[in-house]
Structure formats: C-alpha cells, structure tokens
Amino acid sequence: MPAVVVVGAQWGDEGKGKATDQLGARVDYVVKFNGGNNAGHTVVVGKEKYALHLLPSGILSPGVVPVIGNGVVVDLEVLFRELDDLAARGVDTSRLLVSAAAHVIPSYNRTLDKVTERFLGKRQIGTTGRGIGPTYADKMSRVGIRVQDLFDASILRQKVEGALTQKNQMLVKVYNRRAVDPEEIVAELLGYADRLRSMVADTALLLNQALDAGKTLLFEAGQATMLDVDHGTYPFVTSSSATAGGACTGSGVGPTRIDRVVGVTKAYTTRVGEGPFPTELLGEEGTFLREAGGEYGVTTGRPRRTGWYDAVVARYASRVNGLTDLVMTKLDVLTGLEKVPVCVAYDVDGVRHTEMPPDQSAFHHATPVYEELDGWTEDITGARSFGELPPAAQRYVLAVEEMSGCRISAIGVGADRSATIVRHDLLG
C-alpha cells in the first residue's frame, strides 16, 4: 500500500485541501509535515464549507487518523479553537495525534514576527505575523519549545527563560517594546498541557508501524514549492521545507517508503505576499481571475495576486519534488475566456529561458513568453469525465500537461468535493 505526498506546485493556495480530502477518504492516516497556521485549506463537503488552518484535511474524513508531524510549528490557541469549532459542527476530532517533537509557537514569537516585519519597511517579506518564522528560527538556534516540554514545568521554565534572555533585549532595545515576563509565558503554556496530553504521541514510530502493517499514508504539505525555504523564491518564502523532501524530515518516515508524489496546481497562477511573479496580471484580466476564482486568503483574507499558468514553474516543481502526478484545480474559472495564455518560457535581457533562471535577480527581471490557447464558453462544472469537457478545454489540459512535464491525473471543475475528473488513480 502506498505512502503518498501531496505538495503545492506553485506559490500555495492551489487547492491541496480538496485534493488531500478526496484522497483522505481512501487512506488510513493524513499527516501534516510542515508549516503552521500561516496557510489555510478550504474544503467543501456537500453544503458545508470548512476552513482549516492548522489541522490536517484528513480530520474531515471518518476513520482517518489525522497527524500533526514533528516538522509543524503549533499555535496551541489556534489548535484548540479549530478543534472546538469543528466539534460544534459535529465533526469527530478525537483521532488527532500531535508529535511530541513538534515545536510550539509562544506568544512572544507572534509579537516579534509583527514588529520585525514593520521594522523592515519597504523590505518586508509579507509574513502573516503568526510567529511562524521566529519559531522555526528558534528551532534552528536550539532555543525552541517543543510539545513534550509542556509536561515538565521545570524544563519548560528553563527553556522559556533561556529564549527570552536574548529576545527581551531585542524587544526593549531595538523595537522599544516592553519585556516579556517568562512566568506569564510558562503559565500560559502549562494551561494547555492537560488537554493536549492525550493527543501527544511518538508519531514517527506510529507512522512507520502503520506502513509496516500495510496501512496507507498521505502526507500533506503546507505552503508550496515556490515558497520552500531552500527551493523557493528566497527570501520571499516560508520558513519550512514545503517540497516533497520535507515530508520525510517533518514526519520521521524515510524517503525509501514514499511511493508517489502528487503536485497540485491551479489552471492559472496565484501568490500572496511580496516577491517576483512573472505572469502577474495587474489589470482587468487579473481582477477577473481573482473574482471568478474567489482568490482571497483562507487564513488572512488578503486578496491574492493572479496570473496566467506558468509552465516554467510547473516544470521546476516537477523536477525538485520528483512529481509522479499533477492535480489541476479550478479549470472552471477559465470558462468564458476567448484565449487563454500560458507562459512557456522567460525572456531575461534578450535571453530565452525554458527552465527556471539560476539566480533570483534574473527571475525577478523575467518577462513571460506566452503561447495562446483557445478558450471555451460551455459550463464545465457538471463534467465528471475527460470526454465531457469541451474540446478546447481538453486541448488546454493536454497542452499544459505536455508543457509541465508530468501527467495530469485529476482535474477540478468546481468547489464541491465531487466536482473532479479523475484520469488516473492517484493511489493505484
């Protein structure tokens, strides 16, 4: 039985939640392996719409065990609020497991995130201000607080005091803010311990044992390839490994146990925050895509930047993730356009690049080279097989598939869970 990784193949918001939710009904475990509550998934089940931020999408699938892996940073206030909200809507959340090795986002890191971003002025990264970056920085600096620390008050106090020794100096002397009282932080975190205790486990051990027992695992990435801290548009990236390799480090499951890597891409492109975006549309076409696609952040509500499909980015994502399949979402948003441009290459100072430029400066100055494909006007939201799509829509999918260097195994044609055309079985 397979272990499948699902990653975003663009700058995030591609519809990974829907893809993992659909696959989740056929797997035993859904594992979130990176990020925190700085990104959201929207999942529509019948007439119900769920906005998930920290929880794995699999929490909506009966019988599936949702897991927050060691690579995730956890805001405990957000965690319990999401659990309470779902429980109030009749969702069973009792199966959730949280890695004892996952790092906790203390409130002082949310403060630092916000004041640091403001301090950068024009050089802002465009963070969500939720403490994600500072918490990952603490992890690498070895002053982080892990979930397991909440069950030993003495250890927790030592770690909080150690972290605040430096951070209070920054808050007071650099940012002109008041110092944080370590005892307030300790009391706040200890207040979560009793409720958290039953959820905490050695998830790396459990996941490997599940694979040994023939169970099926789905690894769900937060953020996306172009926001990966190593492989994305640095420094305008997130603070974690959002590519397929992060599934291994963020869960404790080795790379030889991964069977399939699925990339999720929109039929066009969006991104949130600062940074280069070659196919960005700033006029009426961009507004059309934003409004037709409902392109506003699930977590932040921020309007997303929109642009045409970028096949150069898709080829890059296919390569660095080792994609075996692509899931294309929101094909229905393109309905009504006479022509649909696709970026097939970049022009950088008169030089044509069919692959990602090797340096960030060149990418920043890249001008897209477009190939125009015919559009369609027919409503495709009811299509459930590839043959039911209008011929022009079929040609668009096939052209993009060839340009992207990876087969398109599923196509989203609407918001509902069932509004998907399956061309190849992602678990077969």
Side-chain angles (χ1 to χ4, degrees):
M1 299 295 288
V4 179
V5 180
V6 176
V7 299
Q10 297 167 319
W11 276 279
D13 310 306
E14 300 95 346
K16 296 183 294 297
K18 181 180 179 182
T20 55
D21 172 63
Q22 289 175 322
L23 288 169
R26 301 170 56 201
V27 303
D28 300 295
Y29 292 77
V30 174
V31 185
K32 183 168 182 174
F33 63 81
N34 76 301
N37 59 305
N38 54 335
H41 295 319
T42 299
V43 179
V44 179
V45 183
K47 295 183 179 180
E48 294 291 320
K49 183 177 182 179
Y50 299 91
L52 305 175
H53 306 281
L54 179 59
L55 293 170
S57 302
I59 200 154
L60 298 173
S61 300
V64 172
V65 178
V67 178
I68 293 177
N70 59 273
V72 178
V73 290
V74 182
D75 186 319
L76 294 170
E77 180 183 351
V78 172
L79 174 66
F80 292 130
R81 185 168 65 241
E82 282 196 35
L83 288 171
D84 290 342
D85 289 346
L86 289 178
R89 298 175 66 179
V91 176
D92 177 15
T93 62
S94 63
R95 303 178 308 279
L96 177 67
L97 297 177
V98 180
S99 170
H103 280 244
V104 172
I105 301 175
S107 56
Y108 53 75
N109 277 346
R110 292 195 297 271
T111 300
L112 275 169
D113 200 358
K114 293 171 184 174
V115 298
T116 303
E117 184 76 350
R118 285 198 295 269
F119 192 78
L120 288 172
K122 293 181 179 179
R123 295 180 290 109
Q124 289 185 8
I125 302 299
T127 74
T128 60
R130 285 165 167 77
I132 310 295
T135 301
Y136 275 116
D138 284 357
K139 179 178 180 177
M140 295 305 171
S141 298
R142 298 176 293 278
V143 294
I145 297 167
R146 300 199 291 180
V147 165
Q148 59 191 269
D149 298 329
L150 272 64
F151 308 119
D152 187 322
S154 176
I155 291 292
L156 178 62
R157 183 169 286 103
Q158 291 177 42
K159 290 197 170 187
V160 170
E161 289 175 349
L164 285 176
T165 298
Q166 180 187 46
K167 291 175 186 290
N168 272 336
Q169 294 291 318
M170 292 178 60
L171 284 169
V172 174
K173 297 181 178 179
V174 178
Y175 300 119
N176 197 30
R177 301 290 293 261
R178 73 173 182 87
V180 177
D181 182 357
E183 288 303 321
E184 289 183 8
I185 302 300
V186 171
E188 176 187 336
L189 293 175
L190 287 176
Y192 296 114
D194 286 344
R195 185 176 180 187
L196 185 64
R197 192 182 302 272
S198 63
M199 307 175 190
V200 177
D202 181 349
T203 54
L205 174 62
L206 291 178
L207 293 173
N208 278 283
Q209 289 176 335
L211 285 171
D212 291 341
K215 302 294 185 181
T216 304
L217 276 58
L218 189 152
F219 298 87
E220 171 187 56
Q223 306 289 347
T225 299
M226 300 305 290
L227 294 174
D228 183 275
V229 69
D230 287 294
H231 302 291
T233 50
Y234 190 90
F236 303 100
V237 293
T238 192
S239 304
S240 61
S241 297
T243 42
C248 298
T249 55
S251 70
V253 172
T256 57
R257 311 206 76 170
I258 304 298
D259 298 282
R260 187 161 291 179
V261 182
V262 178
V264 185
T265 177
K266 283 176 181 164
Y268 49 99
T269 311
T270 64
R271 89 168 288 178
V272 171
E274 306 299 324
F277 182 6
T279 67
E280 183 172 15
L281 299 168
L282 300 176
E284 292 182 2
E285 292 172 317
T287 300
F288 168 81
L289 290 176
R290 184 177 303 108
E291 297 305 318
E295 298 298 348
Y296 294 89
V298 176
T299 297
T300 64
R302 289 187 293 182
R304 296 173 185 143
R305 300 159 65 188
T306 58
W308 300 123
Y309 189 86
D310 192 326
V312 182
V313 164
R315 288 194 291 273
Y316 177 74
S318 179
R319 183 170 71 251
V320 298
N321 288 293
L323 295 183
T324 58
D325 304 83
L326 274 172
V327 172
M328 175 183 282
T329 63
K330 293 195 171 185
L331 182 64
D332 54 301
V333 173
L334 300 181
T335 299
L337 295 171
E338 183 178 349
K339 294 288 183 178
V340 187
V342 175
C343 174
V344 297
Y346 303 138
D347 182 283
V348 182
D349 297 327
V351 178
R352 183 184 175 100
H353 291 257
T354 57
E355 296 292 347
M356 190 68 63
D359 64 83
Q360 188 65 27
S361 179
F363 185 65
H364 182 76
H365 294 98
T367 300
V369 177
Y370 287 115
E371 179 178 320
E372 285 196 337
L373 302 173
D374 291 333
W376 59 92
T377 58
E378 300 92 331
D379 180 7
I380 65 171
T381 57
R384 294 297 179 268
S385 69
F386 190 67
E388 293 176 26
L389 289 174
Q394 293 183 37
R395 289 193 293 271
Y396 180 82
V397 172
L398 294 174
V400 165
E401 180 178 62
E402 183 176 358
M403 295 173 190
S404 302
C406 184
R407 71 179 188 179
I408 295 176
S409 295
I411 306 160
V413 293
D416 190 75
R417 175 186 268 184
S418 64
T420 303
I421 294 169
V422 177
R423 299 177 69 211
H424 306 285
D425 187 358
L426 294 171
L427 293 179

